[in-house]
């Protein structure tokens, strides 16, 4: 591979225009033809670049100067319509993406880091530690590779795979710009959700972008600092008061909301009293709460609560006029459910599921 090649998956359209101008004296018209072909068709074939003239010579030189590499599919697992894709990156590091069927479309859960340094106790990825940040190319490449493997498009993206997206702010935000470009993949920001554990400084940085259509989800999981710091070490750095203050100032579109994710753990954070305190915490904030029963973590003694306990929690929130829904955890048996990414299961679903 040419080490000086232009890395198109990691590039915004304007970068490509600048490169084309500098290398070939061609501008936006020709750059758009290249961009379209790479991102819409998933390939770069000089014979299809009619815009570069009939000889194909210039198209061939352009192709030779561009690096276009998708993550390699190492393995895949399916259950209940959910597909977990394991990708091997150029340096051998493995990451995972999950395709989730919805009523009318498919959503792709995208990773932004290999491993994670946040160490949330209920999360398998957190337990494996941090390996490295993904590049823009590797984040965008998951979408193109998933489409190539599956043979169909994904309509929505959730940045809830391995890693904390805002801990890889530069590559994450650049990837959003590449993914949304209408000349390419054309996935509008309103069809993307970024989930964070609450890195307050980065929430302010994201707010500064004024990307109000990009949906923000916050993993809360406890209504007080003591319990939250136990579950999520990040809370010691950014306690709830600071997090809620950042969320109150976050720019939302008219009728927009912040998604609050709350993983319910049996006997730990799942009582009606916890629900009442959660309601008080988010009072006045436009939020929708997603309740997710945790997947078992035998090492930590975490079990999902019984259905009745989940329903009592939900009802207490409803009584306090909080919009809430209970989310089912699909793909548990193939370690593709919430908090389970980070270890490749045996070909047969693992008997003991560890989040
Ligand atoms: S829940 Fe998210 S932020 Fe927390 S350890 Fe897991 S991947 Fe990292």
């Amino acid at each position: 591979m040419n080490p000086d090649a232009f890395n198109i998956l990691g590039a915004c359209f304007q970068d490509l225009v600048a490169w084309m101008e500098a290398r070939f004296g061609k501008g936006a018209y020709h750059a758009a033809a290249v961009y379209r072909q790479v991102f819409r068709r998933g390939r770069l074939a000089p014979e299809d670049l009619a815009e570069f003239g009939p000889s194909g010579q210039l198209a061939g030189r352009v192709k030779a100067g561009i690096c276009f590499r998708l993550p390699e599919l190492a393995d895949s697992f399916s259950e209940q319509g959910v597909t977990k894709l394991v990708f091997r990156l150029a340096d051998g590091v493995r990451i995972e993406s999950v395709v989730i069927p919805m009523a009318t479309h498919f959503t792709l859960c995208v990773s932004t880091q290999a491993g994670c340094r946040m160490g949330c106790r209920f999360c398998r990825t957190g337990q494996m530690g941090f390996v490295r940040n993904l590049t823009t190319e590797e984040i965008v490449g998951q979408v193109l590779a998933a489409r190539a493997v599956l043979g169909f498009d994904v309509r929505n993206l959730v940045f809830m795979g391995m890693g904390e997206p805002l801990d890889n702010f530069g590559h994450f935000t650049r990837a959003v710009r590449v993914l949304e470009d209408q000349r390419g993949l054309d996935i509008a920001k309103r069809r993307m959700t970024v989930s964070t554990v609450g890195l307050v400084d980065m929430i302010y940085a994201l707010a500064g972008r004024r990307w109000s259509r990009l949906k923000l989800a916050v993993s809360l999981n406890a209504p007080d600092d003591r319990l939250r710091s136990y579950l999520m070490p990040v809370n010691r750095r950014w306690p709830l008061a600071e997090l809620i203050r950042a969320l109150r100032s976050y720019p939302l579109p008219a009728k927009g909301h912040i998604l609050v994710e709350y993983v319910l753990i049996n006997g730990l954070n799942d009582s009606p009293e916890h629900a009442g305190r959660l309601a008080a915490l988010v009072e006045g904030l436009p939020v929708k709460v997603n309740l997710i029963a945790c997947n078992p973590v035998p090492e930590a003694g975490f079990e999902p609560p019984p259905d009745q306990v989940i329903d009592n929690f939900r009802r207490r929130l409803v009584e306090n006029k909080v919009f809430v829904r209970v989310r089912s955890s699909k793909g548990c048996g193939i370690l593709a459910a919430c908090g389970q990414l980070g270890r490749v299961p045996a070909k047969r679903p693992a008997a003991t599921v560890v989040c």
Side-chain angles (χ1 to χ4, degrees), residues 106-118:
F106 288 87
T107 291
L108 184 69
C109 181
V110 178
S111 292
T112 51
Q113 297 178 315
C116 183
R117 67 175 118 233
M118 297 299 137

Side-chain angles (χ1 to χ4, degrees), residues 116 118-120 122-123 125-126 163-164 197:
C116 183
M118 297 299 137
C120 305
F122 48 84
C123 173
T125 314
E164 158 61 54
V197 284

Side-chain angles (χ1 to χ4, degrees), residues 12-228:
C12 299
F13 179 69
Q14 292 312 328
D15 300 333
L16 179 63
V17 173
W19 181 79
M20 295 276 290
E21 280 173 351
R23 280 288 284 273
F24 303 104
K26 300 289 181 187
Y29 172 74
H30 290 87
V34 171
Y35 210 74
R36 241 188 337 262
Q37 198 181 104
V38 167
F39 287 98
R40 296 213 176 149
R41 296 208 206 157
R43 66 196 200 117
L44 185 53
E47 62 274 18
D48 291 342
L49 287 172
E51 294 84 349
F52 287 77
S55 78
Q57 274 191 358
L58 180 57
R61 282 170 51 217
V62 169
K63 180 181 175 170
I66 288 180
C67 153
F68 173 41
R69 182 174 52 204
L70 298 184
E72 182 190 336
L73 185 71
D75 223 330
S76 68
F77 306 84
S78 292
E79 182 190 84
Q80 296 174 303
V82 174
T83 302
K84 168 152 117 171
L85 304 172
V86 183
F87 292 116
R88 190 186 301 111
L89 303 177
D91 60 356
V93 166
R94 289 181 176 221
I95 57 161
E96 297 171 7
S97 316
V98 181
V99 185
I100 307 154
M102 310 303 280
T104 58
H105 61 273
F106 288 87
T107 291
L108 184 69
C109 181
V110 178
S111 292
T112 51
Q113 297 178 315
C116 183
R117 67 175 118 233
M118 297 299 137
C120 305
R121 274 184 194 258
F122 48 84
C123 173
R124 197 180 174 85
T125 314
Q127 302 313 313
M128 73 181 270
F130 179 70
V131 180
R132 68 169 174 84
N133 280 328
L134 301 191
T135 62
T136 306
E137 174 191 27
E138 290 164 340
I139 298 171
V140 172
Q142 291 170 66
V143 181
L144 283 166
R147 193 175 64 174
V149 170
L150 300 165
F152 55 76
D153 242 333
V154 290
R155 201 190 76 178
N156 287 21
L157 301 180
V158 291
F159 295 95
M160 299 182 181
M162 297 169 75
E164 158 61 54
L166 300 191
D167 189 37
N168 185 12
F169 192 81
H171 285 295
F172 160 68
T173 50
R174 192 173 181 82
V176 169
R177 289 177 57 204
V178 175
L179 291 163
E180 72 166 344
D181 196 302
Q182 292 183 336
R183 287 156 290 222
L185 284 163
D186 191 19
I187 302 174
K189 286 199 196 79
R190 68 187 153 76
R191 293 199 267 125
M192 301 186 209
T193 303
V194 56
S195 175
T196 177
V197 284
L199 297 180
V200 168
D201 51 348
M202 292 295 110
I203 291 175
Y204 283 120
L206 190 62
R209 299 278 169 129
R210 315 302 291 181
W211 287 354
S212 61
R213 297 268 163 203
L214 179 75
K215 296 197 176 85
L216 180 68
V218 177
S219 185
L220 213 55
N221 308 318
D224 63 72
D225 281 325
R226 190 190 56 79
L227 184 52
R228 193 165 190 269

Side-chain angles (χ1 to χ4, degrees), residues 286-308:
V287 296
K288 292 185 178 178
V289 176
N290 270 351
L291 299 179
I292 309 146
C294 83
N295 291 295
V297 187
E299 301 92 323
F302 291 174
E303 294 286 340
D307 289 349
Q308 187 58 54

